[in-house]
Amino acid sequence: MNSIFKALNDETRREIIELLKDQDLNAGQIADKFNMSKPSISHHLDILKRADLISSEKKGQFVEYSLNTTILEDLLNWIMTLKK
């Protein structure tokens, strides 16, 4: 759970999640949306992957990233238990 909160604590990573909400993208497509270096984007993607918030799949010469909605559902369910 700590890795999820660490990943969500950064605005860039939250924006990447927003992008992946609409469609799967490769690292280059994600990097095109930000004014930062590709290694920095790769670092953010790595943190999101380690938190299991996104997944990756090799497609040809590209790695495509997609949102892992299961972990988000688990997080929301946990938050809802705090309300009770």
mmCIF file of all heavy atoms in Angstrom, residues 21-69:
data_model
loop_
_atom_site.group_PDB
_atom_site.id
_atom_site.type_symbol
_atom_site.label_atom_id
_atom_site.label_comp_id
_atom_site.label_asym_id
_atom_site.label_seq_id
_atom_site.Cartn_x
_atom_site.Cartn_y
_atom_site.Cartn_z
ATOM 1 N N LYS A 21 -5.889 6.305 -18.556
ATOM 2 C CA LYS A 21 -7.310 6.044 -18.320
ATOM 3 C C LYS A 21 -8.054 5.980 -19.648
ATOM 4 O O LYS A 21 -8.979 5.190 -19.812
ATOM 5 C CB LYS A 21 -7.889 7.152 -17.432
ATOM 6 C CG LYS A 21 -9.363 7.039 -17.145
ATOM 7 C CD LYS A 21 -9.828 8.164 -16.251
ATOM 8 C CE LYS A 21 -9.815 9.455 -17.053
ATOM 9 N NZ LYS A 21 -10.422 10.587 -16.373
ATOM 10 N N ASP A 22 -7.633 6.775 -20.606
ATOM 11 C CA ASP A 22 -8.318 6.864 -21.894
ATOM 12 C C ASP A 22 -7.845 5.819 -22.901
ATOM 13 O O ASP A 22 -8.632 5.339 -23.706
ATOM 14 C CB ASP A 22 -8.139 8.263 -22.491
ATOM 15 C CG ASP A 22 -8.769 9.344 -21.615
ATOM 16 O OD1 ASP A 22 -9.795 9.064 -20.974
ATOM 17 O OD2 ASP A 22 -8.219 10.455 -21.576
ATOM 18 N N GLN A 23 -6.535 5.501 -22.868
ATOM 19 C CA GLN A 23 -5.999 4.538 -23.838
ATOM 20 C C GLN A 23 -4.624 4.066 -23.415
ATOM 21 O O GLN A 23 -3.936 4.740 -22.652
ATOM 22 C CB GLN A 23 -5.911 5.159 -25.232
ATOM 23 C CG GLN A 23 -4.946 6.324 -25.339
ATOM 24 C CD GLN A 23 -4.949 6.963 -26.707
ATOM 25 O OE1 GLN A 23 -5.756 6.616 -27.545
ATOM 26 N NE2 GLN A 23 -4.051 7.881 -26.948
ATOM 27 N N ASP A 24 -4.234 2.902 -23.926
ATOM 28 C CA ASP A 24 -2.886 2.399 -23.704
ATOM 29 C C ASP A 24 -1.914 3.207 -24.566
ATOM 30 O O ASP A 24 -2.251 3.584 -25.688
ATOM 31 C CB ASP A 24 -2.798 0.926 -24.091
ATOM 32 C CG ASP A 24 -3.681 0.035 -23.218
ATOM 33 O OD1 ASP A 24 -4.194 0.523 -22.194
ATOM 34 O OD2 ASP A 24 -3.842 -1.139 -23.576
ATOM 35 N N LEU A 25 -0.734 3.489 -24.012
ATOM 36 C CA LEU A 25 0.267 4.294 -24.719
ATOM 37 C C LEU A 25 1.650 3.706 -24.519
ATOM 38 O O LEU A 25 1.919 3.067 -23.499
ATOM 39 C CB LEU A 25 0.266 5.737 -24.186
ATOM 40 C CG LEU A 25 -1.016 6.552 -24.316
ATOM 41 C CD1 LEU A 25 -0.926 7.821 -23.477
ATOM 42 C CD2 LEU A 25 -1.273 6.895 -25.777
ATOM 43 N N ASN A 26 2.544 3.966 -25.484
ATOM 44 C CA ASN A 26 3.933 3.581 -25.265
ATOM 45 C C ASN A 26 4.672 4.748 -24.599
ATOM 46 O O ASN A 26 4.134 5.850 -24.486
ATOM 47 C CB ASN A 26 4.602 3.114 -26.566
ATOM 48 C CG ASN A 26 4.727 4.197 -27.607
ATOM 49 O OD1 ASN A 26 5.167 5.308 -27.322
ATOM 50 N ND2 ASN A 26 4.354 3.886 -28.842
ATOM 51 N N ALA A 27 5.895 4.490 -24.161
ATOM 52 C CA ALA A 27 6.656 5.496 -23.409
ATOM 53 C C ALA A 27 6.870 6.774 -24.209
ATOM 54 O O ALA A 27 6.796 7.876 -23.661
ATOM 55 C CB ALA A 27 7.993 4.913 -22.963
ATOM 56 N N GLY A 28 7.126 6.644 -25.500
ATOM 57 C CA GLY A 28 7.325 7.822 -26.342
ATOM 58 C C GLY A 28 6.071 8.683 -26.426
ATOM 59 O O GLY A 28 6.149 9.911 -26.365
ATOM 60 N N GLN A 29 4.915 8.043 -26.552
ATOM 61 C CA GLN A 29 3.655 8.784 -26.599
ATOM 62 C C GLN A 29 3.399 9.495 -25.271
ATOM 63 O O GLN A 29 2.910 10.621 -25.257
ATOM 64 C CB GLN A 29 2.498 7.830 -26.916
ATOM 65 C CG GLN A 29 2.533 7.279 -28.326
ATOM 66 C CD GLN A 29 1.545 6.147 -28.513
ATOM 67 O OE1 GLN A 29 1.434 5.234 -27.686
ATOM 68 N NE2 GLN A 29 0.807 6.201 -29.619
ATOM 69 N N ILE A 30 3.735 8.838 -24.184
ATOM 70 C CA ILE A 30 3.566 9.461 -22.866
ATOM 71 C C ILE A 30 4.535 10.629 -22.733
ATOM 72 O O ILE A 30 4.151 11.722 -22.305
ATOM 73 C CB ILE A 30 3.773 8.418 -21.749
ATOM 74 C CG1 ILE A 30 2.655 7.373 -21.797
ATOM 75 C CG2 ILE A 30 3.828 9.098 -20.378
ATOM 76 C CD1 ILE A 30 2.892 6.149 -20.932
ATOM 77 N N ALA A 31 5.792 10.424 -23.112
ATOM 78 C CA ALA A 31 6.807 11.472 -22.992
ATOM 79 C C ALA A 31 6.445 12.707 -23.809
ATOM 80 O O ALA A 31 6.746 13.835 -23.399
ATOM 81 C CB ALA A 31 8.175 10.936 -23.425
ATOM 82 N N ASP A 32 5.780 12.508 -24.947
ATOM 83 C CA ASP A 32 5.382 13.638 -25.793
ATOM 84 C C ASP A 32 4.420 14.588 -25.084
ATOM 85 O O ASP A 32 4.307 15.752 -25.462
ATOM 86 C CB ASP A 32 4.733 13.138 -27.089
ATOM 87 C CG ASP A 32 5.736 12.506 -28.043
ATOM 88 O OD1 ASP A 32 6.960 12.718 -27.853
ATOM 89 O OD2 ASP A 32 5.292 11.790 -28.959
ATOM 90 N N LYS A 33 3.749 14.109 -24.061
ATOM 91 C CA LYS A 33 2.756 14.927 -23.333
ATOM 92 C C LYS A 33 3.389 15.776 -22.233
ATOM 93 O O LYS A 33 2.713 16.582 -21.612
ATOM 94 C CB LYS A 33 1.689 14.031 -22.699
ATOM 95 C CG LYS A 33 1.013 13.072 -23.646
ATOM 96 C CD LYS A 33 0.051 13.769 -24.545
ATOM 97 C CE LYS A 33 -0.682 12.733 -25.401
ATOM 98 N NZ LYS A 33 -1.550 13.333 -26.367
ATOM 99 N N PHE A 34 4.682 15.575 -21.987
ATOM 100 C CA PHE A 34 5.357 16.256 -20.873
ATOM 101 C C PHE A 34 6.603 16.990 -21.352
ATOM 102 O O PHE A 34 7.215 16.601 -22.342
ATOM 103 C CB PHE A 34 5.762 15.234 -19.799
ATOM 104 C CG PHE A 34 4.592 14.546 -19.155
ATOM 105 C CD1 PHE A 34 4.110 13.351 -19.674
ATOM 106 C CD2 PHE A 34 3.956 15.095 -18.059
ATOM 107 C CE1 PHE A 34 3.027 12.707 -19.106
ATOM 108 C CE2 PHE A 34 2.875 14.462 -17.484
ATOM 109 C CZ PHE A 34 2.401 13.271 -18.007
ATOM 110 N N ASN A 35 6.960 18.011 -20.621
ATOM 111 C CA ASN A 35 8.161 18.781 -20.914
ATOM 112 C C ASN A 35 9.281 18.306 -19.988
ATOM 113 O O ASN A 35 9.716 19.036 -19.100
ATOM 114 C CB ASN A 35 7.877 20.274 -20.732
ATOM 115 C CG ASN A 35 9.038 21.136 -21.182
ATOM 116 O OD1 ASN A 35 9.867 20.690 -21.970
ATOM 117 N ND2 ASN A 35 9.109 22.344 -20.673
ATOM 118 N N MET A 36 9.677 17.044 -20.180
ATOM 119 C CA MET A 36 10.780 16.492 -19.390
ATOM 120 C C MET A 36 11.466 15.410 -20.209
ATOM 121 O O MET A 36 10.936 14.970 -21.231
ATOM 122 C CB MET A 36 10.292 15.969 -18.037
ATOM 123 C CG MET A 36 9.353 14.799 -18.094
ATOM 124 S SD MET A 36 8.877 14.173 -16.462
ATOM 125 C CE MET A 36 8.033 15.550 -15.771
ATOM 126 N N SER A 37 12.613 14.992 -19.748
ATOM 127 C CA SER A 37 13.406 14.016 -20.496
ATOM 128 C C SER A 37 12.738 12.635 -20.490
ATOM 129 O O SER A 37 11.972 12.303 -19.576
ATOM 130 C CB SER A 37 14.805 13.909 -19.904
ATOM 131 O OG SER A 37 14.747 13.308 -18.625
ATOM 132 N N LYS A 38 13.058 11.842 -21.502
ATOM 133 C CA LYS A 38 12.523 10.481 -21.572
ATOM 134 C C LYS A 38 13.008 9.618 -20.403
ATOM 135 O O LYS A 38 12.230 8.821 -19.877
ATOM 136 C CB LYS A 38 12.839 9.849 -22.923
ATOM 137 C CG LYS A 38 12.015 10.494 -24.027
ATOM 138 C CD LYS A 38 12.187 9.820 -25.352
ATOM 139 C CE LYS A 38 11.309 10.565 -26.356
ATOM 140 N NZ LYS A 38 11.321 10.017 -27.664
ATOM 141 N N PRO A 39 14.265 9.773 -19.952
ATOM 142 C CA PRO A 39 14.665 9.003 -18.760
ATOM 143 C C PRO A 39 13.831 9.361 -17.524
ATOM 144 O O PRO A 39 13.537 8.484 -16.710
ATOM 145 C CB PRO A 39 16.138 9.372 -18.565
ATOM 146 C CG PRO A 39 16.614 9.715 -19.944
ATOM 147 C CD PRO A 39 15.429 10.407 -20.587
ATOM 148 N N SER A 40 13.427 10.624 -17.396
ATOM 149 C CA SER A 40 12.574 11.007 -16.266
ATOM 150 C C SER A 40 11.211 10.343 -16.369
ATOM 151 O O SER A 40 10.671 9.847 -15.370
ATOM 152 C CB SER A 40 12.395 12.529 -16.208
ATOM 153 O OG SER A 40 13.604 13.148 -15.876
ATOM 154 N N ILE A 41 10.655 10.299 -17.575
ATOM 155 C CA ILE A 41 9.376 9.623 -17.784
ATOM 156 C C ILE A 41 9.526 8.138 -17.468
ATOM 157 O O ILE A 41 8.667 7.545 -16.795
ATOM 158 C CB ILE A 41 8.855 9.829 -19.223
ATOM 159 C CG1 ILE A 41 8.457 11.288 -19.450
ATOM 160 C CG2 ILE A 41 7.689 8.901 -19.538
ATOM 161 C CD1 ILE A 41 7.288 11.766 -18.618
ATOM 162 N N SER A 42 10.618 7.530 -17.906
ATOM 163 C CA SER A 42 10.859 6.117 -17.611
ATOM 164 C C SER A 42 10.910 5.864 -16.109
ATOM 165 O O SER A 42 10.408 4.844 -15.622
ATOM 166 C CB SER A 42 12.163 5.651 -18.257
ATOM 167 O OG SER A 42 12.028 5.621 -19.647
ATOM 168 N N HIS A 43 11.528 6.788 -15.382
ATOM 169 C CA HIS A 43 11.587 6.675 -13.921
ATOM 170 C C HIS A 43 10.179 6.690 -13.327
ATOM 171 O O HIS A 43 9.843 5.867 -12.465
ATOM 172 C CB HIS A 43 12.441 7.817 -13.355
ATOM 173 C CG HIS A 43 12.437 7.874 -11.866
ATOM 174 N ND1 HIS A 43 13.101 6.944 -11.088
ATOM 175 C CD2 HIS A 43 11.841 8.732 -11.006
ATOM 176 C CE1 HIS A 43 12.908 7.253 -9.813
ATOM 177 N NE2 HIS A 43 12.156 8.321 -9.742
ATOM 178 N N HIS A 44 9.334 7.618 -13.786
ATOM 179 C CA HIS A 44 7.956 7.695 -13.297
ATOM 180 C C HIS A 44 7.181 6.420 -13.644
ATOM 181 O O HIS A 44 6.432 5.886 -12.815
ATOM 182 C CB HIS A 44 7.240 8.907 -13.876
ATOM 183 C CG HIS A 44 7.693 10.213 -13.292
ATOM 184 N ND1 HIS A 44 7.537 10.538 -11.969
ATOM 185 C CD2 HIS A 44 8.314 11.274 -13.863
ATOM 186 C CE1 HIS A 44 8.027 11.748 -11.737
ATOM 187 N NE2 HIS A 44 8.515 12.209 -12.878
ATOM 188 N N LEU A 45 7.379 5.914 -14.857
ATOM 189 C CA LEU A 45 6.699 4.683 -15.271
ATOM 190 C C LEU A 45 7.153 3.503 -14.413
ATOM 191 O O LEU A 45 6.338 2.658 -14.023
ATOM 192 C CB LEU A 45 6.960 4.402 -16.754
ATOM 193 C CG LEU A 45 6.303 5.364 -17.740
ATOM 194 C CD1 LEU A 45 6.831 5.119 -19.152
ATOM 195 C CD2 LEU A 45 4.785 5.249 -17.702
ATOM 196 N N ASP A 46 8.428 3.467 -14.073
ATOM 197 C CA ASP A 46 8.946 2.397 -13.229
ATOM 198 C C ASP A 46 8.303 2.420 -11.842
ATOM 199 O O ASP A 46 7.926 1.379 -11.309
ATOM 200 C CB ASP A 46 10.471 2.509 -13.126
ATOM 201 C CG ASP A 46 11.065 1.370 -12.339
ATOM 202 O OD1 ASP A 46 10.830 0.197 -12.710
ATOM 203 O OD2 ASP A 46 11.771 1.639 -11.349
ATOM 204 N N ILE A 47 8.165 3.595 -11.273
ATOM 205 C CA ILE A 47 7.531 3.726 -9.954
ATOM 206 C C ILE A 47 6.072 3.278 -10.023
ATOM 207 O O ILE A 47 5.588 2.562 -9.138
ATOM 208 C CB ILE A 47 7.658 5.167 -9.423
ATOM 209 C CG1 ILE A 47 9.120 5.457 -9.065
ATOM 210 C CG2 ILE A 47 6.741 5.397 -8.213
ATOM 211 C CD1 ILE A 47 9.418 6.891 -8.730
ATOM 212 N N LEU A 48 5.372 3.675 -11.074
ATOM 213 C CA LEU A 48 3.976 3.260 -11.243
ATOM 214 C C LEU A 48 3.864 1.749 -11.425
ATOM 215 O O LEU A 48 2.944 1.118 -10.894
ATOM 216 C CB LEU A 48 3.340 3.992 -12.425
ATOM 217 C CG LEU A 48 3.072 5.480 -12.216
ATOM 218 C CD1 LEU A 48 2.725 6.156 -13.538
ATOM 219 C CD2 LEU A 48 1.968 5.695 -11.184
ATOM 220 N N LYS A 49 4.809 1.164 -12.157
ATOM 221 C CA LYS A 49 4.808 -0.293 -12.348
ATOM 222 C C LYS A 49 5.094 -1.019 -11.045
ATOM 223 O O LYS A 49 4.437 -2.012 -10.725
ATOM 224 C CB LYS A 49 5.852 -0.699 -13.390
ATOM 225 C CG LYS A 49 5.359 -0.619 -14.810
ATOM 226 C CD LYS A 49 6.386 -1.114 -15.799
ATOM 227 C CE LYS A 49 6.650 -2.581 -15.579
ATOM 228 N NZ LYS A 49 7.552 -3.171 -16.568
ATOM 229 N N ARG A 50 6.058 -0.539 -10.274
ATOM 230 C CA ARG A 50 6.385 -1.187 -8.996
ATOM 231 C C ARG A 50 5.218 -1.115 -8.017
ATOM 232 O O ARG A 50 5.049 -1.999 -7.185
ATOM 233 C CB ARG A 50 7.646 -0.587 -8.381
ATOM 234 C CG ARG A 50 8.901 -1.118 -9.073
ATOM 235 C CD ARG A 50 10.174 -0.743 -8.359
ATOM 236 N NE ARG A 50 10.617 0.551 -8.850
ATOM 237 C CZ ARG A 50 10.985 1.570 -8.078
ATOM 238 N NH1 ARG A 50 10.974 1.450 -6.774
ATOM 239 N NH2 ARG A 50 11.366 2.710 -8.604
ATOM 240 N N ALA A 51 4.405 -0.070 -8.138
ATOM 241 C CA ALA A 51 3.205 0.058 -7.299
ATOM 242 C C ALA A 51 2.039 -0.746 -7.878
ATOM 243 O O ALA A 51 0.971 -0.790 -7.283
ATOM 244 C CB ALA A 51 2.818 1.530 -7.163
ATOM 245 N N ASP A 52 2.256 -1.361 -9.020
ATOM 246 C CA ASP A 52 1.251 -2.165 -9.713
ATOM 247 C C ASP A 52 0.058 -1.334 -10.199
ATOM 248 O O ASP A 52 -1.032 -1.860 -10.416
ATOM 249 C CB ASP A 52 0.778 -3.319 -8.819
ATOM 250 C CG ASP A 52 0.302 -4.512 -9.613
ATOM 251 O OD1 ASP A 52 0.724 -4.661 -10.783
ATOM 252 O OD2 ASP A 52 -0.494 -5.299 -9.085
ATOM 253 N N LEU A 53 0.276 -0.038 -10.359
ATOM 254 C CA LEU A 53 -0.787 0.838 -10.861
ATOM 255 C C LEU A 53 -0.896 0.775 -12.380
ATOM 256 O O LEU A 53 -1.943 1.069 -12.942
ATOM 257 C CB LEU A 53 -0.551 2.281 -10.416
ATOM 258 C CG LEU A 53 -0.776 2.517 -8.927
ATOM 259 C CD1 LEU A 53 -0.183 3.858 -8.513
ATOM 260 C CD2 LEU A 53 -2.256 2.462 -8.603
ATOM 261 N N ILE A 54 0.204 0.413 -13.030
ATOM 262 C CA ILE A 54 0.194 0.231 -14.485
ATOM 263 C C ILE A 54 0.888 -1.085 -14.811
ATOM 264 O O ILE A 54 1.641 -1.623 -14.001
ATOM 265 C CB ILE A 54 0.874 1.399 -15.246
ATOM 266 C CG1 ILE A 54 2.359 1.500 -14.910
ATOM 267 C CG2 ILE A 54 0.151 2.714 -14.979
ATOM 268 C CD1 ILE A 54 3.123 2.495 -15.779
ATOM 269 N N SER A 55 0.610 -1.577 -16.001
ATOM 270 C CA SER A 55 1.294 -2.771 -16.485
ATOM 271 C C SER A 55 1.900 -2.448 -17.844
ATOM 272 O O SER A 55 1.528 -1.464 -18.486
ATOM 273 C CB SER A 55 0.327 -3.944 -16.580
ATOM 274 O OG SER A 55 -0.735 -3.650 -17.451
ATOM 275 N N SER A 56 2.832 -3.285 -18.272
ATOM 276 C CA SER A 56 3.483 -3.054 -19.558
ATOM 277 C C SER A 56 3.502 -4.348 -20.356
ATOM 278 O O SER A 56 3.528 -5.439 -19.785
ATOM 279 C CB SER A 56 4.898 -2.528 -19.369
ATOM 280 O OG SER A 56 5.682 -3.478 -18.698
ATOM 281 N N GLU A 57 3.461 -4.173 -21.672
ATOM 282 C CA GLU A 57 3.514 -5.316 -22.571
ATOM 283 C C GLU A 57 4.315 -4.932 -23.803
ATOM 284 O O GLU A 57 4.082 -3.884 -24.401
ATOM 285 C CB GLU A 57 2.096 -5.721 -22.981
ATOM 286 C CG GLU A 57 2.047 -6.938 -23.878
ATOM 287 C CD GLU A 57 0.633 -7.303 -24.277
ATOM 288 O OE1 GLU A 57 -0.328 -6.809 -23.674
ATOM 289 O OE2 GLU A 57 0.510 -8.090 -25.237
ATOM 290 N N LYS A 58 5.272 -5.775 -24.143
ATOM 291 C CA LYS A 58 6.105 -5.541 -25.329
ATOM 292 C C LYS A 58 5.277 -5.826 -26.574
ATOM 293 O O LYS A 58 4.683 -6.884 -26.720
ATOM 294 C CB LYS A 58 7.323 -6.468 -25.272
ATOM 295 C CG LYS A 58 8.270 -6.289 -26.401
ATOM 296 C CD LYS A 58 9.415 -5.422 -25.982
ATOM 297 C CE LYS A 58 10.514 -5.528 -27.022
ATOM 298 N NZ LYS A 58 11.037 -4.271 -27.405
ATOM 299 N N LYS A 59 5.191 -4.816 -27.448
ATOM 300 C CA LYS A 59 4.486 -4.967 -28.724
ATOM 301 C C LYS A 59 5.420 -4.483 -29.822
ATOM 302 O O LYS A 59 5.592 -3.285 -30.013
ATOM 303 C CB LYS A 59 3.185 -4.170 -28.720
ATOM 304 C CG LYS A 59 2.147 -4.738 -27.767
ATOM 305 C CD LYS A 59 0.789 -4.156 -27.999
ATOM 306 C CE LYS A 59 -0.213 -4.828 -27.086
ATOM 307 N NZ LYS A 59 -1.539 -4.281 -27.231
ATOM 308 N N GLY A 60 6.025 -5.451 -30.512
ATOM 309 C CA GLY A 60 7.013 -5.088 -31.521
ATOM 310 C C GLY A 60 8.226 -4.482 -30.845
ATOM 311 O O GLY A 60 8.752 -5.036 -29.896
ATOM 312 N N GLN A 61 8.637 -3.315 -31.310
ATOM 313 C CA GLN A 61 9.801 -2.661 -30.709
ATOM 314 C C GLN A 61 9.417 -1.698 -29.593
ATOM 315 O O GLN A 61 10.277 -1.065 -28.990
ATOM 316 C CB GLN A 61 10.609 -1.935 -31.789
ATOM 317 C CG GLN A 61 9.895 -0.742 -32.409
ATOM 318 C CD GLN A 61 10.681 -0.155 -33.560
ATOM 319 O OE1 GLN A 61 10.798 -0.774 -34.601
ATOM 320 N NE2 GLN A 61 11.226 1.024 -33.355
ATOM 321 N N PHE A 62 8.132 -1.587 -29.291
ATOM 322 C CA PHE A 62 7.657 -0.672 -28.256
ATOM 323 C C PHE A 62 7.129 -1.434 -27.047
ATOM 324 O O PHE A 62 6.691 -2.573 -27.153
ATOM 325 C CB PHE A 62 6.543 0.227 -28.800
ATOM 326 C CG PHE A 62 6.987 1.121 -29.919
ATOM 327 C CD1 PHE A 62 6.678 0.807 -31.233
ATOM 328 C CD2 PHE A 62 7.723 2.264 -29.671
ATOM 329 C CE1 PHE A 62 7.084 1.623 -32.278
ATOM 330 C CE2 PHE A 62 8.147 3.084 -30.703
ATOM 331 C CZ PHE A 62 7.821 2.766 -32.016
ATOM 332 N N VAL A 63 7.148 -0.775 -25.910
ATOM 333 C CA VAL A 63 6.512 -1.287 -24.705
ATOM 334 C C VAL A 63 5.266 -0.434 -24.485
ATOM 335 O O VAL A 63 5.359 0.789 -24.393
ATOM 336 C CB VAL A 63 7.450 -1.198 -23.480
ATOM 337 C CG1 VAL A 63 6.729 -1.640 -22.224
ATOM 338 C CG2 VAL A 63 8.705 -2.015 -23.712
ATOM 339 N N GLU A 64 4.124 -1.088 -24.433
ATOM 340 C CA GLU A 64 2.860 -0.375 -24.260
ATOM 341 C C GLU A 64 2.433 -0.466 -22.795
ATOM 342 O O GLU A 64 2.491 -1.530 -22.182
ATOM 343 C CB GLU A 64 1.793 -0.991 -25.159
ATOM 344 C CG GLU A 64 0.577 -0.117 -25.297
ATOM 345 C CD GLU A 64 -0.292 -0.549 -26.448
ATOM 346 O OE1 GLU A 64 -1.127 -1.454 -26.227
ATOM 347 O OE2 GLU A 64 -0.128 -0.013 -27.550
ATOM 348 N N TYR A 65 2.006 0.661 -22.269
ATOM 349 C CA TYR A 65 1.592 0.748 -20.867
ATOM 350 C C TYR A 65 0.080 0.873 -20.783
ATOM 351 O O TYR A 65 -0.545 1.552 -21.597
ATOM 352 C CB TYR A 65 2.254 1.960 -20.194
ATOM 353 C CG TYR A 65 3.742 1.808 -20.097
ATOM 354 C CD1 TYR A 65 4.581 2.255 -21.112
ATOM 355 C CD2 TYR A 65 4.323 1.176 -19.006
ATOM 356 C CE1 TYR A 65 5.954 2.090 -21.033
ATOM 357 C CE2 TYR A 65 5.700 1.007 -18.923
ATOM 358 C CZ TYR A 65 6.498 1.468 -19.939
ATOM 359 O OH TYR A 65 7.857 1.303 -19.863
ATOM 360 N N SER A 66 -0.480 0.228 -19.775
ATOM 361 C CA SER A 66 -1.919 0.317 -19.556
ATOM 362 C C SER A 66 -2.195 0.439 -18.063
ATOM 363 O O SER A 66 -1.387 0.032 -17.226
ATOM 364 C CB SER A 66 -2.645 -0.891 -20.152
ATOM 365 O OG SER A 66 -2.141 -2.084 -19.607
ATOM 366 N N LEU A 67 -3.333 0.995 -17.752
ATOM 367 C CA LEU A 67 -3.759 1.220 -16.374
ATOM 368 C C LEU A 67 -4.229 -0.095 -15.768
ATOM 369 O O LEU A 67 -4.961 -0.850 -16.404
ATOM 370 C CB LEU A 67 -4.889 2.254 -16.365
ATOM 371 C CG LEU A 67 -5.346 2.799 -15.028
ATOM 372 C CD1 LEU A 67 -4.198 3.485 -14.305
ATOM 373 C CD2 LEU A 67 -6.474 3.796 -15.253
ATOM 374 N N ASN A 68 -3.799 -0.369 -14.552
ATOM 375 C CA ASN A 68 -4.242 -1.553 -13.829
ATOM 376 C C ASN A 68 -5.401 -1.143 -12.929
ATOM 377 O O ASN A 68 -5.189 -0.663 -11.820
ATOM 378 C CB ASN A 68 -3.101 -2.156 -13.013
ATOM 379 C CG ASN A 68 -3.506 -3.413 -12.284
ATOM 380 O OD1 ASN A 68 -4.651 -3.846 -12.355
ATOM 381 N ND2 ASN A 68 -2.571 -3.997 -11.579
ATOM 382 N N THR A 69 -6.608 -1.307 -13.414
ATOM 383 C CA THR A 69 -7.778 -0.845 -12.663
ATOM 384 C C THR A 69 -8.060 -1.713 -11.443
ATOM 385 O O THR A 69 -8.678 -1.248 -10.494
ATOM 386 C CB THR A 69 -9.023 -0.786 -13.566
ATOM 387 O OG1 THR A 69 -9.228 -2.071 -14.151
ATOM 388 C CG2 THR A 69 -8.854 0.255 -14.656
#
